């Protein structure tokens, strides 16, 4: 008998309906709930705790790179928002606008921030005087609002949580370096924390951020073959600085315009973790990001005091070792508990039962591959190592999946076939916005995800129009 | 010569204009900046870092009390907001309302949250089924918007940062306990972290939160004699739960309505720290909440390599001891640096100069009382202790000030005189909203701050109208 029976029924199988599976997991693992406003979700404790782990990791890394946390206003006056032309054209259609304050019509309506380039530029104008003030690297954790028609938990919402870094530099080189450095930091979130490998690269002109000179992104690959843009960094050039009239006294005593960057990751990263690792029994969390790393299940703990004592001893030992461990002493059956914590993706389960205990044994069960071990009680001190091994194996598995789903396309037909099957079509490329739109139509939604770094050209012409091509591009369908 | 000369000029003296002194310190110590929207401020790195210290302290305490962090939507549909009558009447006049989303007029306008009782109630209705689900204790860190006509940095803003805890309990007793428990937690922020002593008590009917059965508060006393409400907890009864139709299956298998609490502290706490400890040279921070606890100033460090080496050695030793230490190796003069870090309120300054160094000596200077010591290099390892002593002395000083400014009032005239001089007027009292309004008019703004706990009655009649009185009240003018 499968002890997961009851719980499994609660989750649609991936192969039956992947989108429904995803929504089921988000809801049933209690990561989020819907609110009474369409597209605005509630981050429940279990989901929010994962976000807090990501925040802790990022805050440490950002600080190492010299960024400082700040908080800027929630609203941008409409008149101010209009100052950077491409930017406003990009964002205006999805703005939420406040028009009434304290019972009065506002003369200048207030846009709820969809992103804060404009506000940071306003701030920098006041704070930067000399090259000695540069670089200035500020970061903000907040929510932003973008009015969306179709929304999905963590992936696309009318409100989402993110961080936005905004930096100012003396030279173009420094700013371009920063955009690349922060992309590396974002990449490390995947490697160090989420066990999610990313493809890194530059966005095409067609796909770049509204107002940027260059946009870079990390892209994760989901098991349904679709890419998920998981973080972006932008070299903004001097456009926003000029629009906001930011100048500084340079080393040669002349007024100069600083170069700007911005960079952000959002709660989309939760979506990546859920999809990359999840299975038909629910969530599967990599240990480093799991709010509960080990769950301890007493078997007949209500009847046998020694069982509960041992569970408490183990929890204490694990806590001292820095492991986030929880005992489930609720009055549910062990089978129910197994299914519950499997659904919640806890990386490691420890079962403590009266019979095993007599022999000085406990059972370990790894969530990600179902492996079960019976070990001696003294093995508890090895659990941090076990968790690290799980983390490494989950990353390896995800890397293999990614590698297997990057395939060369040498014709329109191959491109379409790869995108239909799922994964990245790797192709020789030249900048051509019209061609990108043709691909989107022909492949029913395929977009240029990025021009990946460190990819050797494998030809010199574009297979789609025969024109000279010197860059490698990855196309995919995407969230 | 006073090395602070240049900097002092930047700050108005407290006795000349206390309000202007406050604004000067906020700006010149780079805690905040104004934005292009009236009443919406920018939290700069130095101010935000203090808030992060408060967040860290609270998150630990809240977790100990069983609260979990969540995040709820930024907006509340107007139709939903109207469900709790007293609540909506209290907040409607200060709401910011969004009426346009994605270019379309919204059928149901969205209120930018001024507080989230309504949204939490909506959420709880879906999540609570049985007494087994209770208590449910959620907390959220976010910003809220209340459209204000007159604003002051950290004290009153159209947007401010805060946390709001919202909890649901099986019984009235548990909920009332929670309101008191969390008030104790808030009180401990003052004792443990900010060196700010609070008066604790219950609000009068007239002053309580819109929609609450009982409101409790912590009130700090500012050097201008005005009280600053610094945190509140509310026992909400069953009003919100009934309005939102929250019910649970009780122990006796009957449907019951849960009892609710909410509690919050905000960036007002920064205002309290600034005013309680600050002086004419600027900010004075208690060590535990100071982003930089010790600043190390090299004297002639550019000329004498041994000085810089010693500074770096000291910083390393302090960091290893858990002290947040910074070397100022900028090219300003020592005098400029002294004034700069005094203005920023760094609790302890270490000067390392070539002559002292030859004798194995360094100079320490305590910000809060100006005390200077010359000590041997080996004293560096005692600095954590020195900082703790400063913390304790700053608290003691603030407690003495508070104690000296609580005085009994036995007549209308005494009440007015005490409030004009500044501080709390302590008086025998009975609930009477009209009398509170009369006091406000007669004293030009005095309000009942709270009915303090643990205060022995010192009479049995109200000195204002001669009616029977069984409670002690504190009146004061307030921010």
């Amino acid at each position: 008998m499968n002890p997961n029976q009851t719980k499994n029924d609660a989750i649609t199988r991936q192969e039956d309906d992947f989108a429904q599976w995803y929504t089921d997991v988000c809801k049933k693992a209690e990561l989020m709930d819907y609110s009474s406003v369409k597209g605005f979700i509630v981050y429940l404790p279990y989901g929010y705790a994962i976000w807090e782990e990501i925040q802790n990791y990022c805050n440490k890394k950002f600080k190492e790179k010299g960024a400082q946390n700040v908080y800027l206003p929630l609203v941008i006056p409409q008149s101010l928002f209009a100052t950077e032309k491409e930017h406003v054209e990009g964002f205006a259609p999805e703005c939420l606008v406040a028009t009434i304050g304290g019972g009065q019509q506002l003369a200048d309506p207030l846009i709820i921030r969809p992103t804060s380039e404009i506000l940071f530029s306003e701030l920098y104008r006041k704070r930067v005087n000399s090259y000695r003030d540069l670089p200035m690297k500020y970061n903000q954790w907040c929510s932003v609002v973008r009015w969306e028609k179709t929304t999905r938990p963590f992936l696309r919402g009318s409100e989402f949580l993110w961080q936005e870094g905004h930096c100012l530099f003396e030279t173009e080189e420094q700013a371009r370096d920063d955009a690349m450095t922060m992309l590396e930091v974002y990449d490390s979130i995947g490697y160090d924390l989420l066990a999610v490998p990313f493809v890194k690269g530059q966005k095409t002109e067609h796909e770049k951020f509204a107002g940027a000179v260059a946009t870079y992104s990390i892209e994760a690959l989901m098991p349904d073959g679709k890419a998920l843009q998981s973080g972006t960094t932008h070299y903004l050039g001097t456009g926003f600085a000029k629009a906001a009239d930011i100048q500084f006294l340079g080393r040669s005593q002349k007024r100069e315009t600083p170069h700007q960057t911005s960079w952000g990751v959002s709660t989309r990263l939760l979506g990546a973790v859920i999809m990359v690792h999840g299975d038909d029994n629910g969530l599967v969390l990599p240990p480093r990001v799991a709010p509960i790393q080990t769950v301890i299940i007493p078997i007949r703990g209500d009847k046998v005091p020694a069982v509960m004592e041992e569970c408490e001893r183990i929890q204490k030992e694990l806590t001292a070792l820095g492991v986030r461990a929880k005992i489930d002493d609720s009055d549910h059956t062990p089978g129910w508990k197994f299914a519950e914590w499997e659904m919640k993706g806890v990386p490691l389960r420890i079962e403590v039962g009266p019979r095993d205990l007599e022999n000085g044994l406990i059972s370990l069960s790894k969530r990600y591959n179902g492996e079960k071990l019976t070990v001696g009680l003294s093995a508890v001190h090895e659990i941090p190592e076990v968790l690290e091994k799980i983390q490494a194996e989950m990353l390896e598995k995800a890397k293999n999946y990614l590698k297997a789903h990057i395939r060369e396309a040498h014709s329109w037909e191959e491109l379409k076939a790869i995108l239909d099957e799922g994964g990245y079509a790797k192709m020789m490329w030249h900048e051509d916005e019209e061609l990108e739109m043709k691909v989107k139509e022909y492949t029913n939604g395929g977009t240029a995800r990025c021009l990946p770094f460190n990819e050797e050209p494998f030809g010199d012409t574009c297979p789609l129009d025969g024109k000279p091509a010197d860059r490698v591009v990855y196309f995919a369908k995407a969230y």
Side-chain angles (χ1 to χ4, degrees), chain A:
Chain A
M1 190 199 121
N2 179 354
N4 302 336
Q5 199 78 48
T6 328
K7 287 292 168 180
N8 275 352
D9 289 353
I11 301 175
T12 306
R13 280 152 43 114
Q14 290 195 343
E15 63 169 54
D16 289 345
D17 182 345
F18 188 77
Q20 188 58 47
W21 168 86
Y22 176 77
T23 311
D24 286 350
V25 171
C26 288
K27 283 271 293 177
K28 306 284 177 175
E30 299 186 289
L31 298 170
M32 52 68 65
D33 203 343
Y34 295 103
S35 82
S36 43
V37 195
K38 200 183 154 299
F40 289 70
I41 65 167
V42 172
Y43 295 78
L44 290 175
Y46 201 60
Y48 196 77
I50 299 174
W51 182 236
E52 286 181 309
E53 290 296 331
I54 294 171
Q55 287 186 305
N56 290 339
Y57 179 88
C58 286
N59 271 327
K60 196 163 163 284
K61 287 275 172 180
F62 293 174
K63 209 177 151 189
E64 282 169 20
K65 301 295 176 196
Q68 296 179 295
N69 284 341
V70 296
Y71 183 79
L72 270 64
L74 173 70
V75 293
I76 311 168
Q78 204 163 47
S79 59
L80 182 65
F81 193 68
T83 46
E84 215 288 343
K85 192 169 162 288
E86 277 179 56
H87 186 68
V88 67
E89 282 170 7
F91 281 102
E94 47 188 57
C95 283
L96 179 66
V97 187
T99 57
I100 299 168
Q104 306 283 317
Q105 283 287 332
L106 301 174
D108 193 359
L110 296 171
I111 290 168
I112 313 305
R113 64 175 161 230
T115 181
S116 305
E117 272 74 10
I118 297 284
L119 288 178
F120 274 90
S121 297
E122 273 287 295
L123 177 65
Y124 284 137
R125 182 180 51 201
K126 292 197 284 181
R127 297 193 63 73
V128 172
N129 293 306
S130 144
Y131 70 91
R132 284 190 187 82
D133 301 326
L134 300 176
M136 206 170 258
K137 297 191 68 166
Y138 287 169
N139 175 61
Q140 143 166 299
W141 294 93
C142 64
S143 83
V144 287
V145 173
R146 298 178 189 176
W147 203 254
E148 299 276 1
K149 288 196 185 73
T150 319
T151 63
R152 302 193 55 195
F154 308 125
L155 302 176
R156 190 172 295 279
S158 288
E159 181 188 19
F160 58 90
L161 300 176
W162 81 344
Q163 59 68 218
E164 44 180 326
H166 296 267
C167 312
L168 221 54
F169 299 88
E170 212 181 324
T171 67
E172 173 172 348
E173 193 189 349
Q174 290 168 340
R176 286 190 181 271
D177 270 3
D178 184 64
M180 294 299 288
T181 300
M182 297 316 293
L183 195 72
E184 290 298 329
V185 167
Y186 287 168
D187 194 39
S188 77
I189 304 172
Y191 272 73
D192 288 347
L193 197 65
L194 309 180
V196 171
F198 297 113
V199 164
K200 275 178 299 182
Q202 185 170 352
K203 288 283 181 188
T204 61
E205 288 298 306
H206 186 58
E207 293 284 338
K208 75 179 187 188
F209 179 74
V213 173
T215 292
Y216 306 94
S217 77
I218 49 169
E219 309 269 335
L221 187 62
M222 302 300 108
D224 62 352
K226 284 158 89 176
L228 180 71
Q229 178 180 302
S230 303
T232 49
T233 73
H234 315 287
Y235 166 57
L236 300 175
T238 55
F240 285 93
K242 279 181 181 150
D245 199 22
I246 313 174
Q247 290 194 341
F248 66 97
L249 195 62
R251 285 168 202 269
S252 57
Q253 299 299 311
K254 280 186 201 138
R255 306 299 301 171
E256 293 178 31
T257 303
H259 293 256
Q260 209 162 346
T261 64
S262 67
W263 28 271
V265 291
S266 74
T267 36
R268 272 206 149 188
L269 289 172
L270 269 70
V273 170
I274 297 163
M275 287 195 274
V276 165
H277 303 297
D279 65 21
D280 284 345
N281 290 334
L283 196 61
V284 182
L285 290 175
R288 290 195 192 164
V289 83
I292 302 166
Q293 295 172 312
T294 302
V295 65
I296 306 164
I297 313 280
I299 313 288
R300 303 194 60 214
D302 51 337
K303 304 272 162 47
V304 186
V307 165
M308 275 314 296
E309 281 162 27
E310 190 56 30
C311 287
E312 277 156 27
R313 197 199 59 73
I314 292 172
Q315 189 194 28
K316 218 168 152 185
E317 185 177 347
L318 287 176
T319 305
L321 290 165
V323 175
R324 297 185 285 272
K326 180 192 166 76
I327 302 173
D328 183 351
D329 57 359
S330 66
D331 53 10
H332 293 291
T333 63
W336 191 97
K337 291 180 190 178
F338 294 174
E340 171 74 6
W341 297 110
E342 277 176 10
M343 185 158 68
K344 289 204 159 171
V346 174
L348 190 69
R349 178 176 78 222
I350 300 178
E351 295 155 46
V352 181
R355 218 171 317 159
D356 278 349
L357 201 55
E358 277 174 25
N359 301 314
L361 298 172
I362 51 173
S363 293
L364 305 185
S365 186
K366 295 184 190 172
R367 173 65 180 92
Y368 94 99
N369 64 357
E371 191 190 336
K372 286 181 176 40
L373 300 163
T374 302
V375 298
L377 283 171
S378 63
V380 171
H381 79 271
E382 286 162 24
I383 282 179
E385 217 172 300
V386 173
L387 292 171
E388 278 302 287
K389 199 156 165 264
I390 291 173
Q391 179 85 26
E393 287 168 2
M394 287 179 73
L395 176 60
E396 201 52 35
K397 188 180 165 190
K399 277 163 91 168
N400 289 337
Y401 176 84
L402 173 61
K403 210 172 152 190
H405 288 82
I406 302 175
R407 284 169 290 173
E408 288 181 14
H410 298 93
S411 67
W412 282 97
E413 295 70 25
E414 277 184 22
L415 173 62
K416 187 170 186 321
I418 293 168
L419 265 49
D420 282 348
E421 269 180 54
Y424 293 106
K426 175 179 165 181
M427 209 168 56
M428 288 310 298
W429 185 249
H430 53 99
E431 280 290 349
D432 187 335
E433 294 205 39
E434 259 179 59
L435 191 54
E436 278 182 71
M437 288 188 276
K438 276 186 204 158
V439 169
K440 191 167 185 178
E441 208 188 315
Y442 180 76
T443 60
N444 198 16
T447 49
R449 301 319 305 156
C450 67
L451 307 163
F453 303 136
N454 306 323
E455 278 278 8
E456 280 301 308
F458 56 101
D460 54 11
T461 50
C462 169
L464 304 186
D465 64 7
K467 286 188 188 165
D470 58 353
R471 294 292 300 266
V472 175
V473 72
Y474 283 3
F475 269 92
K477 295 186 184 179
Y479 278 89

